[in-house]
Amino acid sequence: MPLEVLQFPCLSDNFGVLIHDRATGKTAAIDAPEAPPVVKVLEEKGWELTDIFTTHWHTDHVDGNLTLKAKYNCKITGPKGEADKIPGIDVTVAEGDTFDFAGRAVTVIDCPGHTLGHISYYIAAEKLLFAADTLFALGCGRLLEGTPAQMWSSLSKLMALPDDTVVYCGHEYTLANAKFSVTIDPENAGLATRFEDIKAKRERGEATLPTTIGLERRTNPFVRPQDAKIRKLLGMASASDAEVFAEIRQRKNNF
């Protein structure tokens, strides 16, 4: 029986995510932007929180940690490189580590860029990736600590996952990302169609996530610096992929 995955809004534009195994009752939160919405969903479902999987140290991803730990005595797993900044952390993990959650192997992927210690969690058996603020729908995280080369390396790792991998991200930024993306990749018909779908969803108040690796690979300019049309538009035909990515990221910063 597959894991049940619930996504719900937190703060102004964050997402909370819970994953639940019906057989064992184990329930994990992917980050804890704030406690009340997490508690509300848990109580509505009748679930007990057993784990928090923290992706990085930013307050809007860890602010609920201590409240939830006090209430549920849950175990907090987080990035080794940021352990001193993660409230209540119990277990540290890093690139290549795997651990068990309800009989499924969870693989840790180091994703420096947004922060230096940022990690993503990948559950291959369930085709699930929890990318937080590394990969967004039609975007990627701001480079608040890392370099463009580091972020491009991180995104390349995620793009190597199977196309049908379902991706949960940390924020509802998709409409803003789409408005930018069409300026970088204006001839991409798939992107144009996706932009219209995103606008319609947001007008209805619907979430635009989760996404998939395949959809991002086809339409997200941040993970397509090798595309000849994007390179031509940017005037960077002979640049490296990392250099083209850096230019796209800088343009988004100024958009």
Side-chain angles (χ1 to χ4, degrees):
M1 188 178 297
L3 293 172
E4 187 171 349
V5 185
L6 283 181
Q7 174 183 266
F8 48 93
C10 291
L11 300 173
S12 61
D13 55 33
N14 282 70
F15 281 118
V17 177
L18 291 172
I19 56 175
H20 174 75
D21 177 59
R22 297 173 183 85
T24 63
K26 284 186 172 292
T27 305
I30 310 301
D31 288 329
E34 56 177 334
V38 179
V39 173
K40 181 175 183 289
V41 174
L42 288 166
E43 291 181 347
E44 287 173 351
K45 299 295 292 187
W47 297 345
E48 281 286 315
L49 188 67
T50 55
D51 294 89
I52 298 173
F53 300 158
T54 299
T55 60
H56 65 294
W57 69 267
H58 285 165
T59 304
D60 64 325
H61 290 259
V62 303
D63 207 41
N65 276 18
L66 295 181
T67 299
L68 293 169
K69 188 171 186 178
K71 183 175 179 64
Y72 297 102
N73 193 32
C74 54
K75 179 173 67 178
I76 300 177
T77 299
K80 184 176 182 179
E82 299 179 355
D84 59 336
K85 299 179 180 179
I86 308 297
I89 193 167
D90 299 297
V91 178
T92 62
V93 290
E95 174 77 24
D97 287 345
T98 61
F99 60 91
D100 178 84
F101 175 74
R104 286 95 166 162
V106 182
T107 300
V108 178
I109 304 172
D110 277 352
C111 294
H114 182 62
T115 68
L116 288 177
H118 194 301
I119 60 176
S120 296
Y121 296 93
Y122 175 52
I123 307 178
E126 300 279 337
K127 300 180 179 179
L128 290 172
L129 173 68
F130 302 99
D133 290 5
T134 295
L135 174 66
F136 292 127
L138 295 179
C140 74
R142 285 183 176 270
L143 308 183
L144 299 181
E145 294 179 4
T147 65
Q150 285 176 313
M151 182 61 105
W152 173 239
S153 176
S154 298
L155 291 170
S156 297
K157 292 179 192 177
L158 303 186
M159 287 302 109
L161 299 175
D163 275 359
D164 59 353
T165 302
V166 177
V167 184
Y168 287 86
C169 310
H171 295 269
E172 180 58 84
Y173 290 162
T174 315
L175 181 58
N177 288 341
K179 291 175 180 177
F180 170 75
S181 293
V182 295
T183 71
I184 296 295
D185 198 6
E187 297 182 43
N188 187 326
L191 172 57
T193 299
R194 188 179 182 192
F195 188 16
E196 293 305 312
D197 178 61
I198 289 162
K199 286 190 286 188
K201 283 183 175 177
R202 295 310 293 150
E203 286 172 3
R204 296 192 298 266
E206 297 174 6
T208 61
L209 292 162
T211 181
T212 66
I213 290 294
L215 183 57
E216 296 311 308
R217 191 180 283 124
R218 295 190 299 273
T219 58
N220 184 340
F222 290 87
V223 301
R224 301 177 61 247
Q226 72 283 356
D227 183 88
K229 291 181 178 179
I230 291 177
R231 286 169 166 263
K232 183 179 179 181
L233 182 145
L234 297 176
M236 300 181 73
S238 61
S240 69
D241 288 349
E243 288 169 338
V244 176
F245 164 77
E247 176 65 19
I248 295 170
R249 181 63 258 182
Q250 186 57 44
R251 289 188 180 213
K252 177 62 167 67
N253 294 345
N254 298 326
F255 185 69

